[in-house]
Amino acid sequence: MGDIAVVGIDCTFPGAAGVRAYWDLLVGGRAGIGPVPGQRWEARDFPAVGGSGGFIDDADVFDSDFFSITPREAAAMDPHQRLLLPCAWRALEDAGRAPGELAGSGTGVFVGVMGGEWGRLTMSDLAQVTPLLGSGSSAGMAANRISYHFDLTGPSLAVDTACSSSLVAVHLAANSLLAGECDTALAGGVNIVLSPSLGLVYGQLGLAAADGRCKPFSAEADGIGRSDGVGLVVLRRLEDALADGDRVYAVLRGSAVNQDGRSNGMIAPNRWSQERVLNAAYKRAGVSPAEVAFVEAHGTGTVLGDAIECAALGSVHGVPRETPCAIGSVKGNLGHTEAAAGIAGFIKTALALHHRIVPASLHAERENSRLRLGERGLRLLKSPARLPRGETVAGVSSFGMGGTNAHAVLASAPRTPRAVPVRARADAGAAGVFTVSADTPEALCRNLAAQADAIAALPKGGAAALCRSSNRVKTGLPHRFALTARDTGELVDGLRRAVALRTPAPGGLRHAADRPWGRPVVAFLFTGQGSEYPAMTAGLYRESPAYRRHFDAADEALAAHLGASVREAVLGGEEWGGRPELVQPALFAVGYALARTLTELGVTPAAVLGHSLGEYAAAVTAGVLPLGEAAALVARRARLTAALPPGGGMITAAAGPETLAPALAAEPEVVTAALNGPADTVLSGPLDALARVADELTGLGIRTRTPASPYGFHSALVAPVAAGLRTAPVDCAPAALPVASTRYGRMLRDEPMDADYWADQTEAPVLFDAALGALVRDIAPTHLVEIGPQPQLTRIAARAGSLGGAELLHPAPGPEGTGRDLAETVAALYRCGLDPDWEQLYAPEHRVSEPLVPYVFSSAQRYWDRPPASVGPPVERRSEAAPRPEAAAGRVVSRETESDGAGGDDPVLVAVVEAVTEVGGYPTERVVREARFHEDLGFDSVMIMQLKNRVEARLPRVGEVSVQQMLPALRSVGSLAEFLDGVIMARSA
């Protein structure tokens, strides 16, 4: 059998809500046994069952809104299904996956669940049967419910082999993975003790423990104590998990399932079958019994069951070996979780291998001497056992009451080369973006607080690996939060500030600006000459592997034409600003590397604009020029510029062309080099003529400034450069995305960016303001990202009022810029709806999985829509969360009916709201005009049909409307009301 990796775990057991709590319970030697909750049954009415057991706290809590399930459907759902949904979500998060990313994948779901008690309890009154009860009460739909809500299309099946159900589910999941039916599988089981009925059976069979506690292999063992439990593991083929860098808790080496056949009783255990399933599992796993260090036994604590199991274990493991095979059973801690018993033992074993310590078996102080464990080569774990270095092999057994037996063989995870834990490193201050997402503003605040508390408890250190893990796991829900941080202290402070900001004062409104309603529309603005400075982007080059890689690629492409390294000149920190043969290639390299880094991070521009020299990198980004061609062009332009004679220069003037026209008329050699805004013009020409123009403009009260430019760019003084560019052919392609041309002052049409374009572009004025205006009009960007070593164009555009409401971002904002600024740029776009490729933000040493607190669901909604079991006559009892009973037809509403409910004065809207409330079980205030039927209210096709019938009953003037006619109007409550209003008006005409 091939190896299967356990990469994710979630569970809730009595006294242990979550994986960490479960492990703490085990290593602390505690039990989760307590009195029977009154919600289940009155213990005094069933003395034969006893008053204790293992019960999950708040088993009635379910965040139905999160899973888009109506209150009425949630109340009809089997609690087994309600427990499985959040467990599956948390297990996938623990596996380092954002659950939403698996939507549409062939992920398999295998769930062990026994009986159908909820169906018997809720479907016995035939007059109250509904479609929601039909789907909600079926144990067979336990796995299907997960597949449906997570949109998983792989194998999906519920397994009922009684007490071995969940371990059989794991066995089937592993085989499905090995057969290639799925690449990821959720496997496990669930059990809720809904009534004392099975406890009565155990009592009549003499199998029930008087105190509700299982005492496996103990001299005090007197039977079974029943318990709740839910647990799921995420399984992948080991080679896939290792290739993707998944954390591996343990490895499933092999498993086997068999049946007792015709033995000495339908529900009696069979020693020989147990021996056979153990040997079959070890054969499939390729191990010998002597290699098995410990076995998590079935261990129910019944006299007959323990005796038969120990005889089988001894027969298989009682072979010559250095130390006896250790045994124990988690049922001492939890009780018998029945359908979840196998997964409880499986998870315990996986955690033991992961932490390299096997917890003691409870109630082992007085070992049952009749079991003759020592003679059989076995030892009961009376204290925790530390595992030695190297691989450890363990077994897990689970036996069904009907004779279906399962055994799984687990081994410790393979040792893989791992970097030094990032938080412990001295140089771990790389910037990352910590992300949290949730389904509502309240949930976002709740989960921010949970993350803050959990990270505060960690050792202080770098935050990058934590941030990267959050990007992989915590990014799939509509309300988004992103925070840039370098260390855990800064991260915790930022999270707590965010919680405070989002926590309203009494009577105040909650912060609700965290949900983007679309994706950002991004335009790149490429800076031209004049933005350079020594060691530009050195901080970003040092901290961002992606930027470093792309800058080096540009440097290599340029070096083939320059005969020198731009990288060495830029990063050396020397003063080189007056050397155009280096300045222009360096600026191109920066622009190219920044743009490539952002696009690699998933920031795809909707359009590009380049200012003068910046158009070369813009053309590469738009797919017009390949890197090598652009590098050759830039190098040629730089050499030609360096050969120009001195004597030219530039000035800026805070005025428009009309105001400047008289001064320029007197100096014909001075021309307009750039129109950056309505009152922002750059002039170019001979230095002496520029000086005279500057004096005249100053006298007129017009501000001027002389930039550090040794040449009169975009004038006749650079005609030799233009001529040199025109002679060499250019390998260009049509633009793959819109280009706002500063040569033409408009969006580029079919004009090629060929040699003539680049020649003209060098000599002609830069029409930046017009080009940006065209870009804003045509593209309507939400964000303008400046691509250059420091802000220049965004300031010009802001000064000119040319932004069109776009937000300005700069990943390299000047000499102090570092990787943090790049991270903040990506964070800002994520907050506005971008789904980045986060992996490219982090260095390889930070690409390790760090465990994060799982999603914290709302506990505000409770569903337990049935009275507790009783020996007396049934008493009607409905939870507050259950839908209120209403007449099927409801009251009739016409256009003349006065409104007295939601919808104000619109009786049609009132009727729709009341129908939605009745079908979905929502409180009226939840059903607002904007509420969407599928996304917000969780309506499915069955509910839509019920809604149609109720609306027709309330609005007789509508007549009969088919679902097909209604479909286009089912966008929201308000759109349906408008459609029905139109139908009434049309039929009244």
Side-chain angles (χ1 to χ4, degrees):
M1 178 175 176
D3 288 344
I4 300 296
V6 181
V7 298
I9 300 175
D10 188 70
C11 60
T12 298
F13 293 111
V19 178
R20 293 181 185 179
Y22 184 40
W23 182 245
D24 289 344
L25 180 88
L26 295 174
V27 296
R30 301 191 305 276
I33 308 302
V36 177
Q39 187 186 55
R40 310 291 180 96
W41 65 85
E42 296 296 337
R44 63 178 178 272
D45 293 341
F46 302 94
V49 176
S52 298
F55 300 96
I56 292 175
D57 295 334
D58 299 323
D60 57 342
V61 168
F62 178 58
D63 192 350
S64 58
D65 288 343
F66 182 91
F67 294 102
S68 295
I69 295 174
T70 67
R72 185 174 295 277
E73 183 175 12
M77 282 170 58
D78 188 331
H80 293 82
Q81 297 181 20
R82 297 199 295 257
L83 285 175
L84 282 167
L85 285 173
C87 183
W89 186 277
R90 291 187 296 255
L92 289 170
E93 282 197 337
D94 189 61
R97 309 292 294 272
E101 290 184 0
L102 291 174
S105 73
T107 298
V109 183
F110 303 81
V111 173
V113 58
M114 60 183 275
E117 200 166 27
W118 182 258
R120 292 195 299 273
L121 292 169
T122 58
M123 299 281 282
S124 56
D125 185 351
L126 299 184
Q128 298 298 318
V129 170
T130 67
L132 294 179
L133 277 177
S135 60
S137 62
S138 169
M141 288 197 180
N144 305 158
R145 179 72 70 173
I146 296 172
S147 298
Y148 171 75
H149 285 284
F150 287 63
D151 190 18
L152 308 177
T153 63
S156 181
L157 57 142
V159 179
D160 187 354
T161 59
C163 310
S164 60
S165 298
S166 54
L167 197 59
V168 172
V170 171
H171 169 79
L172 295 174
N175 286 339
S176 181
L177 286 164
L178 294 173
E181 290 181 327
C182 57
D183 295 324
T184 301
L186 278 159
V190 60
N191 193 68
I192 297 291
V193 182
L194 293 171
S195 79
S197 57
L198 190 54
L200 291 171
V201 173
Y202 289 158
Q204 293 167 10
L205 291 170
L207 301 177
D211 58 359
R213 297 174 184 269
C214 294
K215 308 170 193 70
F217 314 120
S218 170
E220 299 174 349
D222 60 347
I224 292 170
R226 299 183 66 205
S227 294
D228 300 340
V230 59
L232 290 169
V233 293
V234 181
L235 305 177
R236 300 187 70 197
R237 290 180 288 271
L238 179 62
E239 61 267 29
D240 295 341
L242 294 178
D244 289 345
D246 292 344
R247 173 190 54 188
V248 177
Y249 284 101
V251 176
L252 176 60
R253 294 277 295 273
S255 60
V257 172
N258 74 357
Q259 232 287 331
D260 289 349
R262 189 172 180 85
S263 57
N264 61 336
M266 179 69 189
I267 61 174
N270 184 303
R271 169 184 171 176
W272 316 113
S273 291
Q274 291 181 16
E275 289 182 18
R276 286 194 292 271
V277 80
L278 291 169
N279 284 319
Y282 295 144
K283 182 178 180 181
R284 291 196 76 194
V287 302
S288 69
E291 297 175 74
V292 179
F294 67 95
V295 172
E296 171 63 21
H298 187 59
T300 57
T302 61
V303 174
L304 180 63
D306 283 1
I308 289 177
E309 183 172 14
C310 287
L313 287 170
S315 177
V316 173
H317 295 93
V319 295
R321 51 192 295 158
E322 293 183 7
T323 57
C325 179
I327 65 168
S329 172
V330 75
K331 292 180 180 64
N333 305 88
L334 304 179
H336 193 348
T337 54
E338 298 172 338
I343 199 63
F346 187 92
I347 292 174
K348 171 189 171 182
T349 305
L351 292 175
L353 292 168
H354 180 65
H355 293 290
R356 307 207 64 78
I357 185 169
V358 187
S361 189
L362 243 58
H363 308 292
E365 300 84 3
R366 293 189 59 208
E367 180 181 314
N368 185 349
S369 59
R370 296 180 181 179
L371 300 177
R372 308 196 327 269
L373 298 182
E375 297 176 26
R376 289 171 164 158
L378 307 173
R379 66 183 179 97
L380 184 59
L381 278 170
K382 301 178 180 179
S383 60
R386 292 199 173 275
L387 298 177
R389 292 180 177 274
E391 184 184 56
T392 299
V393 178
V396 182
S397 289
S398 193
F399 307 138
M401 182 180 287
T404 298
N405 309 303
H407 190 75
V409 184
L410 278 75
S412 47
R415 294 179 62 87
T416 56
R418 287 179 63 90
V420 176
V422 178
R423 288 196 306 275
R425 288 177 36 169
D427 61 341
V433 178
F434 193 85
T435 50
V436 180
S437 66
D439 66 319
T440 65
E442 295 82 3
L444 183 61
C445 190
R446 182 171 64 246
N447 279 274
L448 288 171
Q451 295 299 331
D453 292 344
I455 296 170
L458 297 174
K460 291 186 177 180
L466 283 168
C467 291
R468 183 254 187 188
S469 295
S470 75
N471 303 156
R472 288 170 60 88
V473 174
K474 302 288 187 179
T475 54
L477 298 171
H479 292 266
R480 300 178 168 206
F481 170 84
L483 173 69
T484 303
R486 290 188 181 276
D487 58 63
T488 54
E490 180 187 12
L491 178 54
V492 170
D493 290 345
L495 289 169
R496 288 181 170 159
R497 282 195 304 273
V499 171
L501 176 66
R502 289 161 176 78
T503 303
L509 297 177
R510 183 175 290 277
H511 180 90
D514 295 308
R515 181 172 187 170
W517 292 98
R519 290 176 58 83
V521 180
V522 180
F524 285 179
L525 308 183
F526 290 81
T527 313
Q529 199 159 339
S531 58
E532 68 275 3
Y533 57 88
M536 58 184 179
T537 70
L540 179 59
Y541 184 91
R542 182 175 61 252
E543 294 185 9
S544 170
Y547 179 76
R548 190 161 54 244
R549 184 173 67 256
H550 294 306
F551 191 92
D552 289 350
D555 178 57
E556 183 179 352
L558 289 162
H561 306 283
L562 297 175
S565 170
V566 167
R567 179 185 60 223
E568 293 177 4
V570 170
L571 301 179
E574 299 176 3
E575 185 60 50
W576 45 272
R579 301 172 59 191
E581 69 274 16
L582 288 177
V583 170
Q584 293 184 11
L587 286 170
F588 168 77
V590 168
Y592 168 82
L594 277 175
R596 286 288 290 120
T597 299
L598 286 170
T599 54
E600 197 172 73
L601 283 163
V603 185
T604 302
V608 297
L609 179 154
H611 191 288
S612 185
L613 179 70
E615 273 203 305
Y616 289 88
V620 177
T621 304
V624 174
L625 298 176
L627 173 59
E629 187 73 13
L633 267 173
V634 170
R636 187 180 305 122
R637 186 184 196 266
R639 284 196 307 272
L640 292 167
T641 301
L644 291 173
M650 307 178 85
I651 63 171
T652 64
E658 297 81 4
T659 305
L660 298 175
L664 296 184
E667 296 289 349
E669 291 183 290
V670 177
V671 298
T672 298
L675 292 171
N676 292 330
D680 194 344
T681 306
V682 180
L683 304 177
S684 181
L687 291 175
D688 54 350
L690 284 173
R692 291 192 294 273
V693 171
D695 290 342
E696 181 176 349
L697 295 178
T698 301
L700 295 173
I702 298 173
R703 295 192 315 275
T704 63
R705 184 176 62 85
T706 304
S709 175
Y711 302 100
F713 292 110
H714 301 286
S715 73
L717 296 178
V718 294
V721 178
L725 292 174
R726 204 179 303 275
T727 59
V730 174
D731 178 18
C732 63
L737 52 86
V739 175
S741 168
T742 54
R743 164 68 184 90
Y744 297 122
R746 57 171 170 76
M747 302 305 293
L748 199 66
R749 297 167 188 157
D750 296 329
E751 302 90 348
M753 299 182 83
D754 55 12
D756 287 336
Y757 182 93
W758 297 110
D760 294 342
Q761 186 254 22
T762 301
E763 197 171 6
V766 179
L767 304 179
F768 173 74
D769 187 50
L772 180 59
L775 185 152
V776 170
R777 285 192 305 274
D778 289 11
I779 306 300
T782 59
H783 294 78
L784 296 174
V785 180
E786 183 157 3
I787 308 296
Q790 62 180 327
Q792 189 180 72
L793 301 183
T794 49
R795 292 174 180 172
I796 292 172
R799 193 163 60 237
S802 306
L803 301 177
E807 183 179 344
L808 307 179
L809 298 173
H810 206 304
E816 304 302 320
T818 63
R820 185 188 191 100
D821 301 288
L822 174 65
E824 181 52 43
T825 297
V826 180
L829 293 170
Y830 167 75
R831 288 190 286 264
C832 293
L834 179 74
D835 293 317
D837 182 356
W838 293 103
E839 201 77 354
Q840 303 305 319
L841 192 63
Y842 301 98
E845 62 266 25
H846 298 132
R847 296 176 188 174
V848 294
S849 294
E850 292 273 357
L852 297 170
V853 171
Y855 190 86
V856 181
F857 293 91
S858 171
S859 59
Q861 297 161 299
R862 293 176 179 268
Y863 302 94
W864 200 270
D865 189 25
R866 62 172 203 84
S870 172
V871 293
V875 178
E876 171 133 2
R877 183 184 303 179
R878 302 185 71 88
S879 72
E880 294 181 4
R884 60 182 183 277
E886 295 178 329
R891 67 189 183 99
V892 174
V893 179
S894 69
R895 295 296 302 175
E896 292 76 30
T897 306
E898 289 187 4
S899 171
D900 59 356
D905 296 328
D906 185 346
V908 175
L909 180 58
V910 170
V912 172
V913 168
E914 289 183 347
V916 170
T917 300
E918 183 179 334
V919 173
Y922 286 105
T924 304
E925 61 271 15
R926 278 286 308 278
V927 187
V928 296
R929 177 185 288 272
E930 297 79 13
R932 298 167 297 174
F933 281 103
H934 178 69
E935 297 90 339
D936 300 326
L937 300 175
F939 271 48
D940 58 19
S941 57
V942 173
M943 295 177 187
I944 291 297
M945 190 56 132
Q946 294 174 330
L947 176 67
K948 167 189 172 306
N949 296 337
R950 283 164 171 75
V951 165
E952 288 174 351
R954 281 182 163 79
L955 298 170
R957 293 176 63 187
V958 167
E960 184 174 349
V961 180
S962 69
V963 173
Q964 286 76 14
Q965 289 175 297
M966 287 175 57
L967 279 176
L970 291 173
R971 299 184 305 277
S972 67
V973 171
S975 64
L976 177 58
E978 291 170 5
F979 165 75
L980 295 172
D981 191 42
V983 171
I984 291 174
M985 297 298 289
R987 292 182 177 174
S988 299

